Structure formats: C-alpha cells, structure tokens
Amino acid sequence: MLTNISNVLRACAQRNGAAAVVSARTYADFTNEATFEIKKCDTFKLDEGPATQVVLTRDEGLQYYRTMQTMRRMELKADQLYKQKIIRGFCHLYDGQEACAVGIEAAINLSDHLITAYRAHGYTYTRGGTVKKIMAELTGRRGGIAKGKGGSMHMYCEHFYGGNGIVGAQVPLGAGVALACKYQGNSELCVCLYGDGAANQGQIFETYNMAALWKLPVIFICENNGYGMGTSVERAAASTDYFKRGEFIPGVRVDGMDVLCVREASRFAADYCRSGKGPILMELQTYRYHGHSMSDPGVSLTCKNYPHCAAAPCFCHCSTVDVLSLYVYPICAILPSVVALQCPDRSLGMN
C-alpha cells in the first residue's frame, strides 16, 4: 500500500510539471522492522517488569494502525448516527482508548477469553466482530452481532463475553471463566477489564481474594481514563494507584495511550498467568475523547481538562492512532482514491 502511495505521488508530481519534489526511493526500500524504546512500567510486588526495548515489524505497525483507525471511524460514525437518532438508548464510545484494545489483543491468542464492561464496541471488533454487524447491532437490526437485541452494551462473539451493563459485575464472571480454563487445563487465560469508576466495587476485591487463593489464570485490567462518568479519579478514590489495589496480587501500571507499551505489558502479564503463578493486575492510564456516554452534553474532552498538559497540547493525551494520523492524513487529503482502498468505509458496509 505504501509503495502504491509513493508511485501515485510521483505520478501526480510529473503531471503537474514537477511542482513538488518526490523522492525516487520507494517505501519498499525501508527496513521491515524497527526497535523502539518505550516507557518503563511501574510495578508492584514484581522483581522485574515488561521489556522497555521492543521490536515492531512493518506488517505489525500497519495492522495496528488499520485496526485502531477502523475503531476510531466506527465510533465517530456511531456518534453521528446517535445524534441523528438512528442509534438510541445507551451508547458508550471507545474513541481515544483504541491502543488499549489493540495492544491487549496483540499479546494474547484468539483462543483466550475476554470480558469487559459496557464500553465494548472496540473489543467486539478486535475479538472478531465486523463493523457491519456492530453497526447493525447499534441500530437495532436483526443482522447485528446479537441479533439487534443487545444494543451498545451487550455484544458477544466467540471467546468474548460482553458487554456487561452492571458496574463491576463482569469481574467475578471473568474469574469464573478463568476457573474453567484452569479446570480444563488448556493453558488459556481470561482478560477481565473494568474502569476506574468500578474499581471501588466490593465484588472486585472479593474476586481478587478468590483468584489469588485458587491461582486463577486471569489478568485484571483497570482501564483508568481519568473519569468515572463525570467524576475525576482524585475525587472518587482515596488511592489512585489502581495497580496496587490487589494488595497480595502483583501489579503493573502502563501507558495506555501507547500501543507498544500495552502490548509488551500484556505479554508479560500473559506469560505470568500461563506459568501458573496466578492472577496479575494491570492499570492502563488512558483517556476517552467523549463524555461517559452519548447521553452526556455534546462536548468532547480535550487537553483543557488537563491544565498540567498545556505545554504540549498536541501529544499529552494523544493515542498512537492520533500521532500516526498526523503523518497519514496529509497523504490521504491528496489521494482520495488511495484513502478509499486504505479505509473502505463504504457507508457502513465495511466488513
């Protein structure tokens, strides 16, 4: 694809009398992989943490970007359809947090299990759902992934158990899935996600206790996006070190806006669980670009909500997909035909 973009750019320059200088090199000339230094994770009750030097191949980078960009476009389309009253009821968007879902999925197997709360569109897609079926579900059609009966909060597919509407209720369910994995002895694990707003629920601490006693292969992941509904974490929790909440369970705090940080931390956690050591807790420090749900006022969260970030407003809470877009979008503006191939929206008909 990148080679095609280079060729089209060169052809455009030649037709326009070489108004722009285009390199004669093609993107195929570049290396197929690169090494990156990523942010060190904070750890709790661990002798060592995830790797800080990681290798990313060209194919992996393109795959991660395509998946995150598809998720972002899907959520923005859902925002538009909700405002047009085509989508009704509850609708919690995931835009801004794409690196969390893509990084986790890159570190586990499709045969592993995952359960999350009601902000579930992104995970439904990474677990194997299609954009067409997700959008059909959001609009209440029988072609939806839950036959139009689940809506935004209740989507399911193989090895993905929702989409759960009760705050924190998915955590004990995830431990039950992990118990089944241990009972069957199949080396599978369960990724159990919840938000900072659910982190004070008593049932979560009860689940920690059982999971540690039985050494269940479960990764508890707190997606800390800074707000539980509209309340900041500082006003809701006496301790905001969510990765230490397990007390007797090891924990890792990760930059949830960097897909490579999330991938490496998730790999580390998965290896820990598969080795029979029991559960591990992760905190992903992330950020959502919408309010709690589409029922909130139509005001997107921006860097002005974070005064300490005023020095670098462009990157302080930008996810990987946003940073990459700074480089991709100028090309897309010049080449609409290439955009159609790279990001085939097809008016909600994309598979």
Side-chain angles (χ1 to χ4, degrees):
M1 177 55 67
L2 293 177
T3 303
N4 293 338
I5 293 175
S6 177
N7 292 337
V8 175
L9 278 171
R10 191 178 298 106
C12 290
Q14 291 172 353
R15 283 198 301 268
N16 295 331
V21 178
V22 180
S23 172
R25 294 183 67 184
T26 67
Y27 285 95
D29 297 331
F30 292 95
T31 182
N32 285 324
E33 64 179 39
T35 302
F36 295 92
E37 189 80 23
I38 60 174
K39 184 178 178 181
K40 185 178 179 180
C41 299
D42 297 323
T43 60
F44 175 69
K45 287 188 176 297
L46 290 167
D47 295 329
E48 59 180 3
T52 56
Q53 271 203 341
V54 300
V55 175
L56 178 71
T57 68
R58 179 176 179 272
D59 290 340
E60 286 173 342
L62 288 172
Q63 178 191 349
Y64 299 163
Y65 178 70
R66 175 184 282 271
T67 305
M68 290 188 290
Q69 188 64 263
T70 301
M71 290 165 63
R72 175 66 59 84
R73 291 167 65 99
M74 178 178 70
E75 295 294 67
L76 294 181
K77 179 60 72 172
D79 170 280
Q80 180 184 9
L81 293 176
Y82 194 95
K83 291 172 180 175
Q84 293 173 349
K85 297 186 178 181
I86 297 174
I87 296 175
R88 293 176 177 270
F90 295 103
C91 186
H92 304 83
L93 301 184
Y94 198 69
D95 53 320
Q97 300 182 207
E98 296 90 352
C100 297
V102 174
I104 292 168
E105 202 64 57
I108 63 175
N109 306 320
L110 281 175
S111 58
D112 291 322
H113 309 269
L114 191 145
I115 187 169
T116 188
Y118 38 76
R119 203 177 301 279
H121 307 164
Y123 289 103
T124 307
Y125 180 69
T126 60
R127 287 271 89 187
T130 65
V131 173
K132 185 175 182 179
K133 286 189 175 182
I134 292 170
M135 299 306 291
E137 185 64 36
L138 288 173
T139 52
R141 287 163 168 75
R142 63 183 178 184
I145 202 160
K147 302 188 183 302
K149 298 180 180 180
S152 172
M153 297 195 295
H154 304 290
M155 299 184 185
Y156 311 91
C157 52
E158 190 173 7
H159 301 304
F160 175 61
Y161 307 93
N164 293 269
I166 305 301
V167 175
Q170 73 277 9
V171 178
L173 295 179
V177 174
L179 176 61
C181 293
K182 182 173 182 178
Y183 184 79
Q184 295 171 1
N186 52 21
S187 296
E188 295 174 359
L189 57 83
C190 181
V191 176
C192 185
L193 297 118
Y194 57 95
D196 54 275
N200 298 318
Q201 286 274 320
Q203 58 190 327
I204 292 180
F205 293 91
E206 294 176 29
T207 305
Y208 287 166
N209 182 59
M210 288 190 293
L213 277 174
W214 299 339
K215 293 191 181 301
L216 300 182
V218 55
I219 306 174
F220 296 110
I221 299 182
C222 176
E223 290 184 293
N224 178 9
N225 59 28
Y227 292 88
M229 296 190 73
T231 305
S232 67
V233 293
E234 290 81 7
R235 295 175 56 209
S239 171
T240 57
D241 290 332
Y242 295 105
F243 71 112
K244 297 181 179 179
R245 290 282 190 95
E247 188 176 350
F248 35 76
I249 298 176
V252 182
R253 180 159 58 193
V254 187
D255 180 2
M257 303 303 277
D258 186 332
V259 68
L260 296 182
C261 286
V262 177
R263 185 189 72 175
E264 293 307 308
S266 300
R267 280 180 179 171
F268 176 85
D271 291 341
Y272 184 92
C273 286
R274 294 190 208 278
S275 67
K277 296 178 181 177
I280 190 169
L281 203 160
M282 288 173 57
E283 176 189 346
L284 304 183
Q285 292 187 313
T286 184
Y287 188 68
R288 53 177 160 81
Y289 291 165
H290 271 83
H292 172 71
S293 75
M294 285 302 298
S295 300
D296 290 356
V299 179
S300 296
L301 295 176
T302 63
C303 294
K304 66 183 180 181
N305 298 90
Y306 287 80
H308 61 280
C309 295
C314 293
F315 292 98
C316 57
H317 283 281
C318 285
S319 64
T320 309
V321 64
D322 296 301
V323 175
L324 288 174
S325 295
L326 295 177
Y327 301 97
V328 174
Y329 280 157
I331 298 175
C332 293
I334 301 171
L335 302 170
S337 59
V338 175
V339 177
L341 294 173
Q342 184 72 13
C343 306
D345 185 84
R346 304 282 192 274
S347 298
L348 306 186
M350 182 169 64
N351 290 320

